[in-house]
Coordinates of all heavy atoms in Angstrom, one line a residue:
M111 N -5.3 -9.1 -20.7 CA -6.4 -8.6 -21.5 C -6.2 -7.2 -22.0 O -6.6 -6.9 -23.1 CB -7.8 -8.7 -20.7 CG -9.0 -8.3 -21.5 SD -10.5 -8.6 -20.7 CE -10.8 -7.0 -20.0
S112 N -5.5 -6.4 -21.2 CA -5.3 -5.0 -21.6 C -4.4 -4.9 -22.8 O -4.5 -3.9 -23.5 CB -4.8 -4.2 -20.4 OG -3.5 -4.7 -20.1
T113 N -3.6 -5.9 -23.0 CA -2.7 -5.8 -24.2 C -3.2 -6.6 -25.4 O -2.9 -6.2 -26.5 CB -1.3 -6.2 -23.8 OG1 -1.3 -7.6 -23.4 CG2 -0.7 -5.3 -22.8
D114 N -3.8 -7.7 -25.2 CA -4.3 -8.6 -26.2 C -5.8 -8.5 -26.6 O -6.1 -9.1 -27.6 CB -3.8 -10.0 -26.0 CG -2.2 -10.1 -26.1 OD1 -1.6 -9.3 -26.9 OD2 -1.7 -10.9 -25.5
G115 N -6.6 -8.0 -25.6 CA -7.9 -7.9 -25.9 C -8.8 -9.1 -25.7 O -8.4 -10.1 -25.1
V116 N -10.0 -9.0 -26.3 CA -11.0 -10.1 -26.2 C -11.5 -10.4 -27.6 O -11.8 -9.5 -28.4 CB -12.2 -9.7 -25.2 CG1 -13.3 -10.7 -25.2 CG2 -11.7 -9.3 -23.8
L117 N -11.8 -11.7 -27.8 CA -12.3 -12.1 -29.1 C -13.6 -13.0 -28.8 O -13.5 -13.9 -28.0 CB -11.4 -12.9 -29.9 CG -11.7 -13.3 -31.3 CD1 -10.5 -13.2 -32.2 CD2 -12.4 -14.5 -31.4
I118 N -14.7 -12.5 -29.2 CA -16.0 -13.1 -28.8 C -16.5 -13.8 -30.1 O -16.6 -13.2 -31.2 CB -17.0 -12.1 -28.3 CG1 -16.5 -11.4 -27.1 CG2 -18.3 -12.8 -28.0 CD1 -17.2 -10.1 -26.8
V119 N -16.8 -15.1 -30.0 CA -17.2 -16.0 -31.0 C -18.7 -16.3 -30.7 O -19.0 -16.9 -29.7 CB -16.5 -17.3 -31.2 CG1 -17.0 -18.2 -32.3 CG2 -15.0 -17.0 -31.3
I120 N -19.6 -15.8 -31.6 CA -21.1 -16.0 -31.4 C -21.6 -17.0 -32.4 O -21.4 -16.8 -33.6 CB -21.9 -14.7 -31.5 CG1 -21.3 -13.7 -30.5 CG2 -23.3 -14.9 -31.2 CD1 -21.7 -12.3 -30.6
L121 N -22.2 -18.1 -32.0 CA -22.8 -19.1 -32.8 C -24.2 -19.3 -32.6 O -24.7 -19.3 -31.5 CB -22.1 -20.5 -32.6 CG -20.6 -20.6 -32.9 CD1 -20.1 -22.0 -32.4 CD2 -20.3 -20.4 -34.3
N122 N -25.0 -19.3 -33.7 CA -26.5 -19.5 -33.6 C -26.7 -21.0 -34.1 O -26.5 -21.3 -35.2 CB -27.2 -18.6 -34.5 CG -27.3 -17.2 -34.0 OD1 -27.8 -16.9 -33.0 ND2 -26.6 -16.3 -34.7
I123 N -27.1 -21.8 -33.2 CA -27.2 -23.2 -33.4 C -28.6 -23.7 -33.0 O -29.1 -23.4 -32.0 CB -26.2 -24.0 -32.7 CG1 -24.8 -23.6 -33.2 CG2 -26.4 -25.6 -32.9 CD1 -23.6 -24.3 -32.4
D124 N -29.2 -24.6 -33.9 CA -30.4 -25.3 -33.5 C -29.9 -26.6 -32.9 O -29.5 -27.5 -33.6 CB -31.3 -25.6 -34.8 CG -32.6 -26.2 -34.4 OD1 -32.7 -26.9 -33.4 OD2 -33.5 -26.1 -35.3
L125 N -30.0 -26.7 -31.5 CA -29.4 -27.8 -30.9 C -30.2 -29.1 -31.1 O -29.7 -30.2 -31.1 CB -29.3 -27.5 -29.3 CG -28.3 -26.5 -29.0 CD1 -28.3 -26.2 -27.5 CD2 -26.9 -26.9 -29.4
E126 N -31.5 -29.0 -31.4 CA -32.4 -30.1 -31.6 C -31.9 -30.8 -32.9 O -31.9 -32.0 -33.1 CB -33.8 -29.8 -31.7 CG -34.4 -29.4 -30.3 CD -35.9 -29.1 -30.4 OE1 -36.6 -29.4 -31.4 OE2 -36.4 -28.4 -29.4
E127 N -31.7 -29.9 -33.9 CA -31.3 -30.4 -35.3 C -29.8 -30.6 -35.4 O -29.3 -31.1 -36.4 CB -31.8 -29.5 -36.4 CG -33.3 -29.4 -36.5 CD -34.0 -30.6 -37.0 OE1 -33.4 -31.3 -37.8 OE2 -35.1 -30.9 -36.5
K128 N -29.1 -30.0 -34.5 CA -27.6 -30.0 -34.5 C -27.1 -29.3 -35.8 O -26.3 -29.9 -36.5 CB -27.0 -31.4 -34.3 CG -27.1 -32.0 -32.9 CD -26.7 -33.4 -32.7 CE -25.4 -33.7 -33.3 NZ -24.9 -35.0 -33.0
K129 N -27.6 -28.1 -36.1 CA -27.3 -27.4 -37.3 C -27.0 -26.0 -36.9 O -27.7 -25.4 -36.1 CB -28.4 -27.5 -38.3 CG -28.6 -28.8 -38.9 CD -29.7 -28.8 -39.9 CE -29.9 -30.2 -40.6 NZ -30.9 -30.2 -41.6
M130 N -26.0 -25.4 -37.6 CA -25.7 -24.0 -37.5 C -26.7 -23.2 -38.4 O -26.9 -23.6 -39.5 CB -24.3 -23.6 -37.9 CG -23.3 -24.2 -36.9 SD -21.6 -23.7 -37.1 CE -21.7 -22.1 -37.9
L131 N -27.3 -22.2 -37.8 CA -28.3 -21.4 -38.6 C -27.7 -20.2 -39.3 O -28.3 -19.8 -40.3 CB -29.4 -21.0 -37.6 CG -30.2 -22.1 -36.9 CD1 -31.2 -21.6 -35.9 CD2 -30.8 -23.1 -37.9
L132 N -26.6 -19.7 -38.8 CA -25.9 -18.6 -39.4 C -24.4 -18.8 -39.3 O -23.9 -19.6 -38.6 CB -26.2 -17.3 -38.6 CG -27.7 -16.8 -38.6 CD1 -27.8 -15.7 -37.6 CD2 -28.2 -16.4 -40.0
E133 N -23.7 -18.1 -40.1 CA -22.3 -18.1 -40.1 C -21.8 -17.6 -38.7 O -22.5 -16.8 -38.1 CB -21.6 -17.2 -41.1 CG -21.8 -17.8 -42.6 CD -21.0 -19.0 -42.8 OE1 -19.8 -19.1 -42.4 OE2 -21.5 -20.0 -43.4
P134 N -20.7 -18.1 -38.2 CA -20.2 -17.5 -36.9 C -20.0 -16.0 -37.0 O -19.6 -15.5 -38.0 CB -18.9 -18.2 -36.7 CG -18.9 -19.5 -37.5 CD -19.8 -19.1 -38.7
N135 N -20.3 -15.3 -35.9 CA -20.1 -13.9 -35.8 C -18.9 -13.6 -34.9 O -18.9 -14.1 -33.7 CB -21.3 -13.2 -35.2 CG -21.2 -11.7 -35.2 OD1 -20.2 -11.1 -34.9 ND2 -22.4 -11.1 -35.5
I136 N -17.9 -12.9 -35.4 CA -16.7 -12.6 -34.6 C -16.7 -11.2 -34.2 O -16.8 -10.3 -35.1 CB -15.4 -12.9 -35.4 CG1 -15.4 -14.4 -36.0 CG2 -14.2 -12.7 -34.5 CD1 -15.5 -15.5 -35.0
T137 N -16.6 -10.9 -32.9 CA -16.5 -9.5 -32.4 C -15.3 -9.4 -31.5 O -14.9 -10.3 -30.9 CB -17.8 -9.3 -31.5 OG1 -19.0 -9.4 -32.3 CG2 -17.8 -7.8 -31.0
T138 N -14.7 -8.2 -31.5 CA -13.5 -8.0 -30.8 C -13.6 -6.8 -30.0 O -14.2 -5.8 -30.4 CB -12.2 -8.0 -31.7 OG1 -12.2 -6.8 -32.4 CG2 -12.1 -9.2 -32.5
R139 N -12.8 -6.8 -28.9 CA -12.6 -5.5 -28.1 C -11.1 -5.5 -27.7 O -10.7 -6.4 -27.0 CB -13.5 -5.5 -26.8 CG -14.9 -5.4 -27.1 CD -15.4 -4.1 -27.6 NE -16.8 -4.0 -27.9 CZ -17.4 -4.2 -29.1 NH1 -16.7 -4.5 -30.1 NH2 -18.7 -4.1 -29.2
G140 N -10.4 -4.5 -28.2 CA -9.0 -4.4 -27.8 C -8.1 -5.3 -28.5 O -6.9 -5.4 -28.2
F141 N -8.6 -6.1 -29.4 CA -7.8 -7.1 -30.2 C -7.4 -6.5 -31.5 O -6.2 -6.2 -31.7 CB -8.5 -8.4 -30.3 CG -7.8 -9.4 -31.2 CD1 -6.5 -9.8 -31.0 CD2 -8.5 -9.9 -32.3 CE1 -5.9 -10.6 -31.8 CE2 -7.9 -10.8 -33.1 CZ -6.6 -11.3 -32.9
V142 N -8.3 -6.3 -32.3 CA -8.1 -5.6 -33.6 C -9.3 -4.8 -34.0 O -10.4 -5.1 -33.4 CB -7.8 -6.6 -34.8 CG1 -6.5 -7.4 -34.6 CG2 -9.0 -7.6 -35.0
I143 N -9.2 -3.9 -34.9 CA -10.3 -3.1 -35.4 C -10.9 -3.9 -36.5 O -10.2 -4.1 -37.4 CB -9.8 -1.7 -35.8 CG1 -9.3 -0.9 -34.6 CG2 -11.0 -0.9 -36.4 CD1 -8.6 0.4 -35.0
V144 N -12.1 -4.3 -36.3 CA -12.7 -5.2 -37.3 C -12.7 -4.6 -38.6 O -12.4 -5.3 -39.6 CB -14.2 -5.5 -36.8 CG1 -14.9 -6.3 -37.9 CG2 -14.2 -6.3 -35.5
N145 N -13.1 -3.4 -38.9 CA -13.2 -2.8 -40.2 C -11.8 -2.8 -40.9 O -11.7 -2.8 -42.1 CB -13.7 -1.4 -40.1 CG -15.2 -1.4 -39.7 OD1 -15.9 -2.4 -39.9 ND2 -15.7 -0.3 -39.2
D146 N -10.7 -2.7 -40.1 CA -9.4 -2.7 -40.7 C -8.8 -4.0 -40.9 O -7.7 -4.2 -41.5 CB -8.5 -1.8 -39.8 CG -8.9 -0.3 -39.7 OD1 -9.6 0.1 -40.6 OD2 -8.4 0.4 -38.8
N147 N -9.4 -5.0 -40.4 CA -8.9 -6.4 -40.4 C -9.9 -7.4 -40.9 O -10.0 -8.5 -40.3 CB -8.3 -6.8 -39.0 CG -7.2 -5.9 -38.6 OD1 -6.1 -6.1 -39.0 ND2 -7.5 -4.9 -37.8
Q148 N -10.6 -7.1 -42.0 CA -11.6 -8.0 -42.5 C -11.1 -9.3 -42.8 O -11.7 -10.4 -42.7 CB -12.4 -7.4 -43.6 CG -13.3 -6.2 -43.3 CD -14.4 -6.7 -42.4 OE1 -15.0 -7.8 -42.6 NE2 -14.8 -5.9 -41.4
E149 N -9.9 -9.4 -43.4 CA -9.3 -10.7 -43.9 C -9.1 -11.6 -42.7 O -9.3 -12.8 -42.7 CB -8.0 -10.4 -44.7 CG -7.5 -11.7 -45.2 CD -6.2 -11.4 -46.1 OE1 -6.2 -10.4 -46.8 OE2 -5.4 -12.4 -46.2
L150 N -8.5 -11.0 -41.6 CA -8.2 -11.8 -40.4 C -9.5 -12.3 -39.8 O -9.6 -13.5 -39.4 CB -7.4 -10.9 -39.4 CG -7.2 -11.5 -38.0 CD1 -6.4 -12.8 -38.2 CD2 -6.6 -10.5 -37.1
I151 N -10.5 -11.4 -39.7 CA -11.7 -11.8 -39.1 C -12.4 -12.9 -39.9 O -13.0 -13.9 -39.4 CB -12.7 -10.6 -39.0 CG1 -12.1 -9.5 -38.1 CG2 -14.1 -11.0 -38.5 CD1 -11.9 -10.0 -36.6
K152 N -12.3 -12.8 -41.3 CA -12.9 -13.9 -42.1 C -12.2 -15.2 -41.9 O -12.8 -16.3 -41.9 CB -12.8 -13.4 -43.6 CG -13.5 -14.3 -44.5 CD -15.0 -14.3 -44.2 CE -15.7 -15.1 -45.3 NZ -17.2 -15.4 -44.9
K153 N -10.9 -15.2 -41.7 CA -10.1 -16.5 -41.5 C -10.5 -17.0 -40.2 O -10.7 -18.3 -40.1 CB -8.6 -16.1 -41.4 CG -8.0 -15.9 -42.8 CD -6.5 -15.6 -42.6 CE -5.8 -15.3 -44.0 NZ -4.4 -15.0 -43.9
I154 N -10.7 -16.2 -39.1 CA -11.1 -16.8 -37.8 C -12.6 -17.3 -37.9 O -12.9 -18.3 -37.4 CB -11.0 -15.6 -36.8 CG1 -9.5 -15.2 -36.5 CG2 -11.7 -16.1 -35.4 CD1 -9.4 -14.0 -35.7
Q155 N -13.4 -16.6 -38.7 CA -14.8 -17.0 -38.9 C -14.8 -18.4 -39.6 O -15.6 -19.3 -39.2 CB -15.5 -16.0 -39.7 CG -17.0 -16.2 -39.9 CD -17.7 -15.2 -40.7 OE1 -17.1 -14.6 -41.7 NE2 -18.9 -14.8 -40.3
N156 N -14.0 -18.6 -40.7 CA -14.0 -19.8 -41.4 C -13.5 -20.9 -40.5 O -14.0 -22.1 -40.5 CB -13.1 -19.7 -42.6 CG -13.7 -18.8 -43.7 OD1 -14.9 -18.6 -43.7 ND2 -12.9 -18.3 -44.6
K157 N -12.4 -20.7 -39.7 CA -11.9 -21.7 -38.8 C -12.9 -22.1 -37.8 O -13.1 -23.3 -37.5 CB -10.6 -21.1 -38.1 CG -10.0 -22.1 -37.2 CD -9.2 -23.2 -37.9 CE -8.4 -24.0 -36.9 NZ -7.7 -25.1 -37.5
T158 N -13.6 -21.2 -37.3 CA -14.7 -21.4 -36.3 C -15.8 -22.3 -36.9 O -16.3 -23.2 -36.3 CB -15.3 -20.1 -35.7 OG1 -14.3 -19.4 -35.1 CG2 -16.3 -20.4 -34.7
N159 N -16.1 -21.9 -38.1 CA -17.2 -22.7 -38.8 C -16.8 -24.2 -39.0 O -17.6 -25.1 -38.7 CB -17.4 -22.0 -40.2 CG -18.7 -22.5 -40.8 OD1 -19.7 -22.7 -40.2 ND2 -18.7 -22.7 -42.1
I160 N -15.5 -24.4 -39.3 CA -15.1 -25.8 -39.5 C -15.1 -26.5 -38.1 O -15.6 -27.7 -38.0 CB -13.6 -25.8 -40.1 CG1 -13.6 -25.3 -41.5 CG2 -13.0 -27.2 -40.0 CD1 -12.3 -24.9 -42.1
I161 N -14.7 -25.9 -37.1 CA -14.7 -26.5 -35.7 C -16.1 -26.8 -35.3 O -16.3 -27.9 -34.9 CB -14.0 -25.5 -34.7 CG1 -12.5 -25.2 -35.0 CG2 -14.2 -26.0 -33.3 CD1 -11.9 -24.0 -34.3
A162 N -17.0 -25.9 -35.4 CA -18.4 -26.1 -35.1 C -19.0 -27.2 -35.8 O -19.7 -28.1 -35.3 CB -19.2 -24.8 -35.2
L163 N -18.9 -27.2 -37.2 CA -19.5 -28.3 -38.0 C -18.9 -29.7 -37.6 O -19.7 -30.7 -37.5 CB -19.2 -28.0 -39.4 CG -20.0 -26.8 -40.0 CD1 -19.6 -26.5 -41.4 CD2 -21.4 -27.0 -39.9
N164 N -17.6 -29.7 -37.4 CA -17.0 -31.0 -36.9 C -17.6 -31.5 -35.6 O -17.8 -32.7 -35.4 CB -15.5 -30.9 -36.8 CG -14.9 -30.8 -38.2 OD1 -15.4 -31.3 -39.2 ND2 -13.6 -30.3 -38.3
E165 N -17.7 -30.6 -34.6 CA -18.3 -30.9 -33.3 C -19.7 -31.4 -33.5 O -20.2 -32.3 -32.8 CB -18.1 -29.8 -32.3 CG -16.7 -29.6 -31.9 CD -16.2 -30.8 -31.0 OE1 -16.9 -31.2 -30.1 OE2 -15.1 -31.2 -31.3
L166 N -20.5 -30.6 -34.2 CA -22.0 -31.0 -34.4 C -22.2 -32.3 -35.0 O -23.2 -33.0 -34.8 CB -22.6 -29.9 -35.3 CG -22.9 -28.5 -34.6 CD1 -23.3 -27.5 -35.6 CD2 -23.9 -28.7 -33.4
E167 N -21.2 -32.9 -35.8 CA -21.4 -34.1 -36.4 C -21.1 -35.3 -35.5 O -21.5 -36.4 -35.7 CB -20.4 -34.3 -37.6 CG -20.7 -33.4 -38.8 CD -19.7 -33.5 -39.9 OE1 -18.8 -34.3 -39.8 OE2 -19.9 -32.8 -40.9
K168 N -20.5 -35.0 -34.3 CA -20.3 -36.1 -33.4 C -21.5 -36.6 -32.7 O -22.4 -35.9 -32.4 CB -19.3 -35.6 -32.3 CG -17.9 -35.3 -32.8 CD -17.0 -34.8 -31.7 CE -15.6 -34.5 -32.2 NZ -14.7 -34.0 -31.1
D169 N -21.6 -37.9 -32.5 CA -22.7 -38.6 -31.9 C -22.8 -38.1 -30.4 O -23.9 -38.0 -29.9 CB -22.6 -40.1 -31.9 CG -22.7 -40.6 -33.3 OD1 -23.4 -40.0 -34.1 OD2 -22.2 -41.7 -33.6
N170 N -21.7 -37.9 -29.7 CA -21.7 -37.4 -28.3 C -21.5 -36.0 -28.2 O -20.9 -35.5 -27.3 CB -20.7 -38.3 -27.6 CG -19.2 -38.0 -28.1 OD1 -19.1 -37.4 -29.2 ND2 -18.3 -38.4 -27.4
F171 N -22.1 -35.2 -29.1 CA -22.0 -33.7 -29.1 C -22.5 -33.1 -27.8 O -23.5 -33.5 -27.3 CB -22.8 -33.1 -30.3 CG -23.0 -31.7 -30.2 CD1 -22.0 -30.8 -30.5 CD2 -24.2 -31.1 -29.7 CE1 -22.1 -29.4 -30.3 CE2 -24.4 -29.7 -29.6 CZ -23.3 -28.9 -29.9
N172 N -21.7 -32.2 -27.2 CA -22.3 -31.3 -26.1 C -21.6 -30.0 -26.2 O -20.6 -29.8 -26.8 CB -22.0 -32.1 -24.7 CG -20.6 -32.1 -24.4 OD1 -20.0 -31.2 -24.1 ND2 -20.1 -33.4 -24.3
L173 N -22.3 -29.0 -25.6 CA -21.9 -27.6 -25.7 C -20.5 -27.4 -25.0 O -19.8 -26.5 -25.5 CB -23.0 -26.7 -25.0 CG -24.3 -26.6 -25.8 CD1 -25.3 -25.7 -25.0 CD2 -24.0 -26.0 -27.2
T174 N -20.3 -28.0 -23.9 CA -19.0 -27.8 -23.2 C -17.9 -28.2 -24.2 O -16.9 -27.4 -24.2 CB -19.0 -28.6 -21.9 OG1 -20.1 -28.2 -21.1 CG2 -17.6 -28.4 -21.2
D175 N -17.9 -29.3 -24.8 CA -16.9 -29.7 -25.7 C -16.7 -28.7 -26.9 O -15.6 -28.4 -27.3 CB -17.1 -31.1 -26.3 CG -17.0 -32.2 -25.3 OD1 -16.3 -32.0 -24.2 OD2 -17.4 -33.3 -25.6
L176 N -17.8 -28.2 -27.4 CA -17.8 -27.3 -28.5 C -17.1 -26.0 -28.0 O -16.2 -25.5 -28.7 CB -19.2 -27.0 -29.0 CG -19.3 -25.8 -30.1 CD1 -18.5 -26.1 -31.3 CD2 -20.7 -25.6 -30.4
K177 N -17.4 -25.5 -26.9 CA -16.8 -24.2 -26.3 C -15.3 -24.4 -26.1 O -14.5 -23.6 -26.5 CB -17.5 -23.8 -25.1 CG -18.9 -23.3 -25.3 CD -19.6 -22.9 -24.0 CE -21.0 -22.4 -24.1 NZ -21.6 -21.9 -22.9
N178 N -15.0 -25.5 -25.5 CA -13.5 -25.8 -25.2 C -12.8 -25.9 -26.5 O -11.6 -25.5 -26.6 CB -13.4 -27.1 -24.4 CG -13.8 -26.9 -23.0 OD1 -13.8 -25.8 -22.5 ND2 -14.3 -28.0 -22.3
R179 N -13.3 -26.6 -27.5 CA -12.6 -26.8 -28.8 C -12.4 -25.4 -29.5 O -11.4 -25.2 -30.0 CB -13.5 -27.7 -29.7 CG -12.9 -27.9 -31.1 CD -11.7 -28.8 -31.2 NE -12.0 -30.1 -30.6 CZ -11.1 -30.9 -30.2 NH1 -9.8 -30.6 -30.3 NH2 -11.4 -32.1 -29.6
I180 N -13.4 -24.6 -29.4 CA -13.3 -23.2 -30.0 C -12.2 -22.5 -29.3 O -11.4 -21.8 -29.9 CB -14.6 -22.5 -29.9 CG1 -15.7 -23.1 -30.9 CG2 -14.5 -21.0 -30.2 CD1 -17.1 -22.6 -30.8
I181 N -12.2 -22.5 -28.0 CA -11.2 -21.7 -27.2 C -9.8 -22.3 -27.6 O -8.9 -21.5 -27.8 CB -11.5 -21.9 -25.7 CG1 -12.7 -21.1 -25.3 CG2 -10.2 -21.4 -24.9 CD1 -13.2 -21.4 -23.9
L182 N -9.6 -23.6 -27.5 CA -8.3 -24.2 -27.8 C -7.8 -23.9 -29.2 O -6.7 -23.4 -29.4 CB -8.3 -25.6 -27.5 CG -8.4 -26.1 -26.0 CD1 -8.6 -27.6 -25.9 CD2 -7.2 -25.6 -25.2
E183 N -8.7 -24.2 -30.2 CA -8.2 -24.1 -31.6 C -8.1 -22.6 -32.1 O -7.2 -22.3 -32.8 CB -9.1 -25.0 -32.5 CG -8.9 -26.4 -32.2 CD -9.6 -27.3 -33.3 OE1 -9.7 -26.8 -34.5 OE2 -10.0 -28.4 -32.9
I184 N -9.1 -21.8 -31.7 CA -9.0 -20.4 -32.1 C -7.8 -19.7 -31.4 O -7.2 -18.9 -32.0 CB -10.3 -19.7 -31.9 CG1 -11.4 -20.3 -32.7 CG2 -10.2 -18.2 -32.2 CD1 -11.2 -20.3 -34.3
N185 N -7.6 -20.0 -30.2 CA -6.5 -19.4 -29.5 C -5.1 -19.7 -30.2 O -4.3 -18.9 -30.5 CB -6.4 -19.9 -28.1 CG -5.3 -19.2 -27.2 OD1 -5.2 -18.0 -27.2 ND2 -4.5 -20.0 -26.5
A186 N -4.9 -21.0 -30.5 CA -3.7 -21.4 -31.2 C -3.6 -20.8 -32.6 O -2.6 -20.3 -33.1 CB -3.6 -22.9 -31.4
Y187 N -4.8 -20.7 -33.3 CA -4.9 -20.1 -34.6 C -4.5 -18.6 -34.6 O -3.8 -18.1 -35.5 CB -6.2 -20.4 -35.2 CG -6.4 -20.1 -36.7 CD1 -5.6 -20.7 -37.6 CD2 -7.3 -19.1 -37.1 CE1 -5.8 -20.4 -39.0 CE2 -7.5 -18.8 -38.5 CZ -6.7 -19.5 -39.4 OH -6.9 -19.2 -40.7
V188 N -5.1 -17.9 -33.6 CA -4.8 -16.5 -33.6 C -3.4 -16.2 -33.2 O -2.8 -15.2 -33.7 CB -5.8 -15.8 -32.5 CG1 -5.4 -14.4 -32.2 CG2 -7.3 -15.9 -33.1
I189 N -2.8 -17.0 -32.3 CA -1.4 -16.8 -32.0 C -0.6 -17.1 -33.2 O 0.4 -16.2 -33.5 CB -1.0 -17.8 -30.8 CG1 -1.7 -17.4 -29.5 CG2 0.5 -17.8 -30.7 CD1 -1.5 -18.4 -28.4
E190 N -0.9 -18.0 -34.0 CA -0.2 -18.3 -35.2 C -0.2 -17.1 -36.2 O 0.7 -16.8 -36.8 CB -0.7 -19.6 -35.8 CG -0.1 -20.0 -37.2 CD -0.8 -21.2 -37.8 OE1 -1.2 -22.1 -37.1 OE2 -1.1 -21.1 -39.0
L191 N -1.4 -16.6 -36.3 CA -1.7 -15.5 -37.3 C -1.1 -14.1 -36.8 O -0.7 -13.4 -37.7 CB -3.2 -15.3 -37.6 CG -3.8 -16.5 -38.4 CD1 -5.3 -16.2 -38.5 CD2 -3.2 -16.7 -39.8
T192 N -1.2 -13.9 -35.6 CA -1.0 -12.5 -35.1 C 0.1 -12.4 -34.0 O 0.6 -11.3 -33.8 CB -2.2 -11.9 -34.5 OG1 -2.6 -12.5 -33.3 CG2 -3.4 -11.8 -35.5
G193 N 0.4 -13.5 -33.3 CA 1.3 -13.5 -32.2 C 0.6 -12.9 -30.9 O 1.3 -12.8 -29.9
R194 N -0.7 -12.6 -31.0 CA -1.3 -12.1 -29.8 C -2.2 -13.2 -29.1 O -2.5 -14.2 -29.8 CB -2.2 -10.9 -30.3 CG -1.3 -9.8 -30.8 CD -2.1 -8.6 -31.2 NE -2.7 -7.9 -30.0 CZ -3.5 -6.9 -30.1 NH1 -3.9 -6.5 -31.2 NH2 -3.9 -6.3 -29.0
R195 N -2.5 -13.0 -27.9 CA -3.3 -14.0 -27.1 C -4.5 -13.3 -26.5 O -4.6 -13.1 -25.3 CB -2.4 -14.6 -26.0 CG -1.2 -15.3 -26.5 CD -0.3 -15.7 -25.3 NE 0.8 -16.4 -25.8 CZ 1.0 -17.7 -25.8 NH1 0.0 -18.5 -25.5 NH2 2.0 -18.2 -26.3
P196 N -5.5 -13.0 -27.3 CA -6.8 -12.5 -26.8 C -7.5 -13.5 -25.9 O -7.3 -14.7 -26.1 CB -7.6 -12.0 -27.9 CG -7.1 -13.0 -29.0 CD -5.7 -13.2 -28.8
I197 N -8.3 -13.1 -25.0 CA -9.2 -14.0 -24.3 C -10.3 -14.4 -25.3 O -10.9 -13.5 -26.0 CB -9.8 -13.3 -23.1 CG1 -8.7 -13.0 -22.1 CG2 -10.9 -14.1 -22.5 CD1 -9.2 -12.1 -20.9
I198 N -10.5 -15.7 -25.5 CA -11.5 -16.2 -26.4 C -12.8 -16.5 -25.6 O -12.7 -17.3 -24.6 CB -11.1 -17.4 -27.1 CG1 -9.7 -17.3 -27.7 CG2 -12.1 -17.9 -28.1 CD1 -9.6 -16.4 -28.8
I199 N -13.9 -15.9 -26.0 CA -15.2 -16.1 -25.3 C -16.2 -16.6 -26.3 O -16.7 -15.9 -27.2 CB -15.8 -14.9 -24.6 CG1 -14.7 -14.3 -23.6 CG2 -17.1 -15.1 -24.0 CD1 -15.1 -13.0 -23.0
P200 N -16.6 -18.0 -26.3 CA -17.6 -18.5 -27.2 C -18.9 -18.3 -26.5 O -19.1 -18.5 -25.4 CB -17.2 -20.0 -27.2 CG -16.4 -20.3 -26.0 CD -15.8 -19.0 -25.5
M201 N -19.8 -17.8 -27.3 CA -21.3 -17.7 -27.0 C -22.1 -18.5 -27.9 O -22.1 -18.2 -29.1 CB -21.7 -16.1 -27.0 CG -20.9 -15.3 -26.0 SD -21.4 -13.6 -26.1 CE -23.2 -13.7 -25.7
I202 N -22.9 -19.5 -27.3 CA -23.6 -20.3 -28.1 C -25.2 -20.0 -27.9 O -25.6 -20.1 -26.8 CB -23.5 -21.8 -27.8 CG1 -21.9 -22.2 -27.7 CG2 -24.2 -22.7 -28.8 CD1 -21.2 -22.0 -29.0
L203 N -25.8 -19.5 -28.9 CA -27.2 -19.2 -28.9 C -28.0 -20.3 -29.4 O -27.9 -20.7 -30.5 CB -27.5 -17.9 -29.6 CG -26.7 -16.7 -29.2 CD1 -27.0 -15.5 -30.2 CD2 -26.9 -16.3 -27.8
N204 N -28.9 -21.0 -28.6 CA -29.7 -22.1 -28.9 C -31.0 -21.4 -29.6 O -31.8 -20.9 -28.9 CB -30.1 -22.9 -27.8 CG -31.0 -24.1 -28.2 OD1 -31.2 -24.4 -29.3 ND2 -31.6 -24.7 -27.2
T205 N -31.0 -21.5 -30.9 CA -32.1 -20.9 -31.6 C -32.8 -22.0 -32.4 O -32.2 -22.7 -33.2 CB -31.5 -19.9 -32.7 OG1 -30.7 -19.0 -32.0 CG2 -32.6 -19.1 -33.3
N206 N -34.1 -22.1 -32.2 CA -34.9 -23.1 -32.9 C -35.4 -22.4 -34.2 O -36.1 -21.4 -34.1 CB -36.1 -23.5 -32.0 CG -36.8 -24.7 -32.7 OD1 -37.0 -24.7 -33.9 ND2 -37.3 -25.7 -31.9
K207 N -35.1 -22.9 -35.3 CA -35.4 -22.3 -36.6 C -36.9 -22.2 -36.8 O -37.3 -21.4 -37.7 CB -34.7 -23.0 -37.8 CG -35.2 -24.4 -38.0 CD -34.4 -25.0 -39.2 CE -34.8 -26.4 -39.4 NZ -34.1 -27.1 -40.4
N208 N -37.7 -23.0 -36.1 CA -39.2 -23.0 -36.3 C -39.8 -21.9 -35.4 O -41.0 -21.8 -35.5 CB -39.7 -24.3 -36.0 CG -39.2 -25.4 -37.0 OD1 -39.1 -25.1 -38.1 ND2 -39.0 -26.6 -36.5
E209 N -39.1 -21.3 -34.6 CA -39.7 -20.3 -33.7 C -39.8 -18.9 -34.3 O -39.1 -18.6 -35.1 CB -39.0 -20.2 -32.3 CG -39.1 -21.5 -31.5 CD -38.4 -21.4 -30.2 OE1 -37.7 -20.4 -30.0 OE2 -38.5 -22.3 -29.4

């Protein structure tokens, strides 16, 4: 972690409707400086969006599978783009859009 940092993926999802309410939010500590790497962060955000939407479409959707898929696919994607291996931490916020 001290050399590759942490990448936190935050998703706001209405679990009852199985819909994402906002675009994924990507935050890092010790991985890259967000303001200097907007293109990289946008690519990770887009990849996360695709992963989440694909998982939400499944009949047997569950949070554990979504988190595991994010960790596995984003880890491989970040290694491919940067050669670095940050710790990937998915955070899923269950937000009811009617509240």
Side-chain angles (χ1 to χ4, degrees):
M111 183 171 95
S112 66
T113 59
D114 290 329
V116 176
L117 189 142
I118 303 165
V119 177
I120 303 168
L121 296 174
N122 288 294
I123 298 176
D124 182 336
L125 293 177
E126 289 180 20
E127 298 288 327
K128 289 175 47 173
K129 292 184 179 178
M130 289 186 33
L131 301 176
L132 299 170
E133 291 291 314
N135 185 321
I136 308 298
T137 302
T138 70
R139 295 291 181 261
F141 171 56
V142 295
I143 298 171
V144 175
N145 292 339
D146 294 343
N147 293 281
Q148 287 296 321
E149 184 177 331
L150 173 63
I151 298 299
K152 189 65 176 167
K153 286 180 181 179
I154 296 169
Q155 185 180 38
N156 290 339
K157 180 75 169 176
T158 302
N159 197 38
I160 292 167
I161 295 166
L163 291 174
N164 287 337
E165 286 296 313
L166 287 167
E167 289 178 3
K168 293 182 178 179
D169 291 334
N170 59 346
F171 166 78
N172 67 64
L173 287 177
T174 301
D175 288 346
L176 174 58
K177 289 179 181 181
N178 288 335
R179 175 77 54 202
I180 289 170
I181 292 168
L182 290 172
E183 290 193 31
I184 295 301
N185 186 48
Y187 190 61
V188 168
I189 291 169
E190 177 186 318
L191 292 175
T192 67
R194 298 180 71 186
R195 297 174 182 264
I197 295 172
I198 311 291
I199 302 174
M201 294 179 63
I202 313 297
L203 305 175
N204 179 15
T205 308
N206 187 324
K207 66 181 176 186
N208 296 323
E209 292 181 357

